């Protein structure tokens, strides 16, 4: 049975809640509590939060199908928040880690696979963020817009791989996130397969 969220607060409240982590990180930084390498700690935490929000956006459809709780009105806010955290993560690396040294930045992108993968993941998020508005839906048309936003699956998968590759000692945290992403993408693949089979049966039925 569908669970109505009509009387729930609007997406504006979701934005406020989702930016609490970055506010907490800034506060922690001002109080010099980010550890011996604050730049790296800030970069790391921003990246993790970006991945968390990407995963949360992927969870909305399975939650709706399995529980009836419809949180689609919040998906745009969650997706955009993931993009902004990813952008802050990238800026932390560019400014604090690499000091905007173009040579070092390009060398890292070319020679370090985990950075290459992270940059590709971020590049895939850009068209998603740029078209997360009603004007783009009208301009592109619903079908094309939906295909563009399927880039979120690839971006999330690459972000998870990036996280696993960054942490070289193989602690459980990145593997847990990667496992969650695999399950969510696998669920979507199975649902897409069943939908395709159902559509094919309908076409054959109408043809006969």
């Amino acid at each position: 049975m569908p669970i109505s969220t009509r009387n729930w607060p609007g997406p504006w409240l979701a934005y406020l809640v989702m930016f609490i982590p970055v506010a907490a990180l800034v506060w922690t930084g001002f109080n010099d509590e980010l550890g011996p390498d604050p730049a790296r700690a800030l970069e790391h935490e921003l990246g993790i939060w970006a991945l968390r929000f990407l995963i949360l956006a992927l969870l909305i459809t399975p939650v709706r199908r399995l529980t009836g709780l419809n949180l689609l009105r919040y998906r745009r806010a969650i997706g955009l928040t993931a993009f902004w955290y990813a952008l802050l993560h990238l800026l932390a690396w560019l400014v604090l880690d690499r000091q905007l040294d173009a040579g070092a930045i390009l060398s890292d992108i070319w020679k370090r696979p985990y950075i290459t993968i992270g940059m590709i993941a971020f590049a895939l998020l850009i068209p998603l963020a740029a078209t997360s508005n009603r004007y783009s839906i009208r301009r592109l048309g619903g079908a094309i817009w939906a295909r563009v936003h399927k880039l979120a699956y690839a971006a999330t998968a690459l972000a998870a791989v990036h996280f696993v590759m960054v942490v070289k000692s193989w602690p459980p945290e990145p593997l847990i996130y990667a496992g969650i992403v695999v399950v969510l993408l696998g669920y979507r693949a199975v649902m897409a397969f069943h939908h395709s089979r159902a559509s094919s049966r309908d076409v054959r039925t109408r043809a006969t």
Side-chain angles (χ1 to χ4, degrees), residues 93 97-98 102-116:
W93 176 67
D97 193 346
R98 287 296 168 225
I105 291 167
L106 293 175
S107 177
D108 278 353
I109 293 172
W110 179 256
K111 295 180 179 179
R112 299 176 185 268
Y114 71 89
I115 293 180
T116 307

Side-chain angles (χ1 to χ4, degrees), residues 48-125:
I48 289 177
W49 277 106
L51 179 57
R52 286 169 179 163
F53 286 120
L54 286 172
I55 290 172
L56 186 59
L58 285 185
L59 272 170
I60 287 177
T61 296
V63 166
R64 177 171 59 86
R65 288 173 174 169
L66 296 174
T67 70
L69 180 61
N70 190 348
L71 299 172
L72 287 174
R73 64 187 299 205
Y74 300 106
R75 184 161 62 184
R76 180 186 303 175
I78 295 170
L80 285 173
T81 301
F83 170 78
W84 288 116
Y85 272 93
L87 178 60
L88 291 172
H89 170 66
L90 175 61
L91 290 175
W93 176 67
L94 293 174
V95 178
L96 302 178
D97 193 346
R98 287 296 168 225
Q99 289 83 46
L100 295 177
D101 183 335
I105 291 167
L106 293 175
S107 177
D108 278 353
I109 293 172
W110 179 256
K111 295 180 179 179
R112 299 176 185 268
Y114 71 89
I115 293 180
T116 307
I117 290 172
M119 293 297 290
I120 295 172
F122 180 75
L124 293 178
L125 291 177

Side-chain angles (χ1 to χ4, degrees), residues 147-175:
R147 285 198 293 271
V148 169
H149 278 252
K150 287 182 179 179
L151 291 173
Y153 308 151
T156 306
L158 289 173
V161 172
H162 169 71
F163 186 23
V164 170
M165 294 177 71
V166 166
V167 185
K168 299 180 177 63
S169 58
W170 296 97
E173 185 182 21
L175 298 178

